[in-house]
């Protein structure tokens, strides 16, 4: 697995052999970052949050493309060690790695402090909508939530949580979505 764009393009991302770890595939990330480039062409002022980070590939990809600040949250010690080693190797000073439970960490972050939030909780764990509820207050005006799931998020499901589905696609088992707060 490699970073696919930006300053650190082609940089390998270490992937631990852990149960349930599903790094976002290259083609999914390419689509996601094309969506973001269309909706937010100026990446430099963006502030990102990567909850349930795993390999951290989404957060590192955003930082590689010039984001101002990226917070990466992971609780698994082996993954944290790999994330910190990659951060040091890249001298990624715009990235902050936080050890802890994603929902607990999100609850302690300042409101309106992120422009894009990446959510890729373990499939089947029932964490998507609690995570959405936790990060909604963290979104800046026009902030976006990227969510990977094993089933599609319908417009009705999103609306029930005060969101609109801006973009959605599927790649194999992975359904991926870009969500935004509803306008009124």
């Amino acid at each position: 697995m490699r970073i696919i764009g930006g300053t650190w393009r082609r940089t390998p991302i270490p992937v631990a052999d852990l149960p349930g770890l599903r790094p976002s595939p290259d083609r999914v990330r390419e689509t996601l970052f094309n969506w973001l480039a269309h909706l937010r062409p100026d990446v430099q002022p963006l502030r990102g949050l990567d909850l349930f980070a795993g390999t951290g590939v989404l957060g590192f990809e955003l930082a590689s493309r010039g984001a101002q600040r990226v917070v990466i949250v992971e609780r698994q010690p082996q993954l944290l060690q790999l994330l910190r080693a990659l951060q040091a190797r890249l001298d990624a000073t715009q990235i902050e790695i936080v050890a802890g439970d994603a929902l607990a960490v999100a609850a302690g972050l300042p409101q309106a402090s992120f422009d894009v939030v990446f959510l890729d909780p373990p499939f089947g764990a029932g964490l998507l909508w609690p995570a959405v509820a936790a990060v909604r207050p963290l979104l800046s005006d026009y902030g976006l939530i990227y969510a990977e799931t094993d089933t599609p998020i319908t417009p009705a499901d999103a609306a029930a949580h005060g969101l609109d589905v801006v973009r959605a696609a599927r790649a194999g088992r992975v359904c991926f979505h870009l969500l935004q707060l509803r306008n009124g």
Side-chain angles (χ1 to χ4, degrees):
M1 167 159 294
R2 298 183 181 280
I3 295 173
I4 58 173
T7 306
W8 302 321
R9 184 179 183 165
R10 295 188 188 95
T11 298
I13 300 279
V15 179
D17 185 16
L18 295 173
L21 186 63
R22 297 173 293 94
S24 300
D26 286 1
R27 67 181 178 159
V28 169
R29 284 183 285 124
E30 188 169 343
T31 300
L32 162 63
F33 284 94
N34 285 340
W35 290 347
L36 289 176
H38 176 73
L39 295 168
R40 305 286 186 276
D42 187 8
V43 174
Q44 287 187 330
L46 289 183
R47 298 158 300 157
L49 174 62
D50 186 357
L51 284 180
F52 310 99
T55 63
V57 70
L58 295 173
F60 276 95
E61 188 78 48
L62 184 65
S64 177
R65 292 166 186 258
Q68 177 187 109
R69 176 175 180 247
V70 179
V71 175
I72 293 176
V73 180
E74 179 54 54
R75 70 177 183 180
Q76 210 287 336
Q78 186 178 355
L79 295 174
L80 285 163
Q81 183 179 18
L82 292 173
L83 290 166
R84 289 185 176 126
L86 181 60
Q87 177 190 31
R89 189 176 87 210
L90 296 173
D91 191 27
T93 57
Q94 71 276 49
I95 292 178
E96 177 185 356
I97 297 171
V98 179
D101 175 78
L103 298 181
V105 171
L109 294 170
Q111 290 191 1
S113 55
F114 297 100
D115 305 298
V116 61
V117 175
F118 302 117
L119 296 179
D120 186 6
F123 286 177
L127 292 171
L128 176 65
W129 296 116
V132 166
V135 302
R136 283 187 69 222
L138 305 179
L139 291 174
S140 63
D141 290 342
Y142 308 104
L144 298 165
I145 296 172
Y146 168 77
E148 281 188 23
T149 62
D150 56 348
T151 58
I153 295 174
T154 67
D157 288 339
H161 292 88
L163 300 166
D164 288 317
V165 177
V166 179
R167 302 272 194 284
R170 181 179 201 125
R173 235 186 102 212
V174 176
C175 300
F176 53 108
H177 316 79
L178 207 51
L179 310 168
Q180 188 169 15
L181 292 175
R182 297 198 84 169
N183 294 329

